[in-house]
Amino acid sequence: MEFKEVIGLRRSIRWFKPWQPVEREKIQVMLEAANRSSRSMNADYCKAVVVNRDDLDQETRDALRNPTTTVDLDLAPTYIFWFTDMDYEVGTQDRLKELVQHKVLPPSHGWSEAYVDEVVWGQVIEPMSKVFAIKQWMGSIESGICICNALNAAVDEGLGACLHAMGNPAVVKEVLKVPDSWFPAWLMLVGYPLEDREAGGQRPRRPLDTNFFEGTCETPFVPDPEVTERLRREGMIQEAGPFPWRADEVRMLSRMFGLPE
Ligand SMILES: Cc1cc2nc3c(=O)[nH]c(=O)nc-3n(C[C@H](O)[C@H](O)[C@H](O)COP(=O)(O)O)c2cc1C
């Protein structure tokens, strides 16, 4: 699938074929996409644990339920638990030096191994890494970038996915044997969509100039209609939901599982 179409077609999927497992190969593609995502200092902040729904006992699955994550847990065959390792700076000094050796961080831009030790590490990163709020801020963004790549890879592989609040982190920690330094990020539910992959149409979003600006925050970034039109042709901007038959789709799906309509 073309890149723009992947972006355009991604939806938070909440109806999965509960009977169809996800091939391990496709999960590997998602994890590889996450592993290829950009990351500061080439550090490994983001961690994930892949679990088959049916390998979790009922008690654990029930513990994951929360106000925003309910029947989704019964429908999705694969759960990916995403975390941020708050001890990510371990070994990071060496990773920066590796980037210097590979000429990714070149001398022309001031980089050398001594510069990493004395300036970048000594004066910037080490002091920052002592402040929990800064670590949390950095790590959350890094994990978000990884998770985003994995979401888009899922779409490209013909899968559906949705992020969810990770209910009951204490149970998750115990069952998955999560190290103390891993901070819960999100639970990603993955499977083959049972709802149409367009899931009733593209979600309502505010126009570009509501959120993005040019020059200063007082000048909205006004989109060029020709570019907007090109993005429609290339699939990034798709027909907005709800499709006329969306209510029927949801009603029929609910009926299929005996859920409230
Ligand atoms: C970080 C994050 C957390 C989310 N948590 C939940 C959740 O707990 N339950 C849920 O049903 N959807 C959750 N969602 C899905 C959003 O509600 C979804 O993005 C929204 O429906 C917009 O639709 P779209 O993702 O299809 O564009 C989450 C999405 C993100 C990005």
Side-chain angles (χ1 to χ4, degrees):
M1 203 183 288
E2 292 298 320
F3 174 75
K4 292 195 197 69
E5 202 185 348
V6 169
I7 302 284
L9 194 58
R10 189 210 53 77
R11 311 272 188 276
S12 286
I13 293 294
R14 293 187 174 82
W15 297 92
F16 301 94
K17 293 178 184 169
W19 55 83
Q20 187 173 354
V22 176
E23 298 84 343
R24 194 169 177 281
E25 176 190 335
K26 294 195 173 190
I27 298 296
Q28 184 176 336
V29 173
M30 292 172 64
L31 297 178
E32 197 65 68
N35 209 28
R36 300 283 137 199
S37 70
S38 189
R39 66 219 28 230
S40 63
M41 306 178 290
N42 214 19
D44 294 329
Y45 308 77
C46 185
K47 309 286 177 190
V49 183
V50 181
V51 178
N52 289 321
R53 174 198 57 205
D54 297 341
D55 291 341
L56 291 175
D57 59 42
Q58 193 59 45
E59 197 186 341
T60 305
R61 266 163 61 180
D62 287 341
L64 294 172
R65 291 180 206 282
N66 66 69
T68 60
T69 307
T70 56
V71 70
D72 325 62
L73 288 162
D74 303 315
L75 300 181
T78 303
Y79 301 178
I80 307 182
F81 295 83
W82 294 91
F83 301 89
T84 306
D85 185 358
M86 298 299 283
D87 277 344
Y88 58 76
E89 72 271 20
V90 174
T92 294
Q93 207 167 351
D94 292 338
R95 290 203 186 100
L96 273 173
K97 287 183 186 170
E98 205 174 44
L99 294 178
V100 170
Q101 289 152 14
H102 285 227
K103 304 295 177 211
V104 174
L105 299 173
S108 53
H109 292 50
W111 290 93
S112 67
E113 291 192 36
Y115 187 72
V116 167
D117 282 336
E118 289 152 28
V119 180
V120 179
W121 190 261
Q123 293 177 29
V124 183
I125 298 168
E126 203 186 14
M128 274 169 55
S129 71
K130 294 193 177 356
V131 184
F132 185 81
I134 293 181
K135 284 175 72 162
Q136 198 176 29
W137 155 66
M138 286 182 69
S140 299
I141 292 175
E142 305 274 347
S143 291
I145 299 171
C146 287
I147 292 169
C148 182
N149 262 19
L151 276 178
N152 286 322
V155 176
D156 195 44
E157 291 294 311
L159 299 167
C162 184
L163 288 175
H164 283 266
M166 201 187 291
N168 214 331
V171 170
V172 173
K173 184 169 165 46
E174 192 191 322
V175 172
L176 304 189
K177 305 186 184 350
V178 178
D180 288 341
S181 65
W182 292 15
F183 189 80
W186 297 101
L187 167 60
M188 186 188 284
L189 299 182
V190 188
Y192 282 92
L194 181 59
E195 59 187 317
D196 187 274
R197 64 183 191 159
E198 289 189 62
Q202 218 167 28
R203 310 322 197 192
R205 289 281 150 65
R206 278 55 62 199
L208 211 60
D209 52 13
T210 316
N211 295 317
F212 304 110
F213 302 85
E214 204 165 14
T216 73
C217 299
E218 291 172 349
T219 311
F221 189 103
V222 179
D224 174 344
E226 276 184 31
V227 177
T228 306
E229 206 35 56
R230 175 161 80 87
L231 293 176
R232 276 190 218 291
R233 282 197 306 276
E234 294 178 359
M236 187 184 281
I237 302 177
Q238 302 191 358
E239 191 181 336
F243 291 168
W245 41 262
R246 176 61 174 172
D248 284 338
E249 182 184 24
V250 171
R251 192 176 310 119
M252 298 295 179
L253 288 167
S254 308
R255 206 169 288 173
M256 193 172 166
F257 295 104
L259 295 166
E261 295 177 26

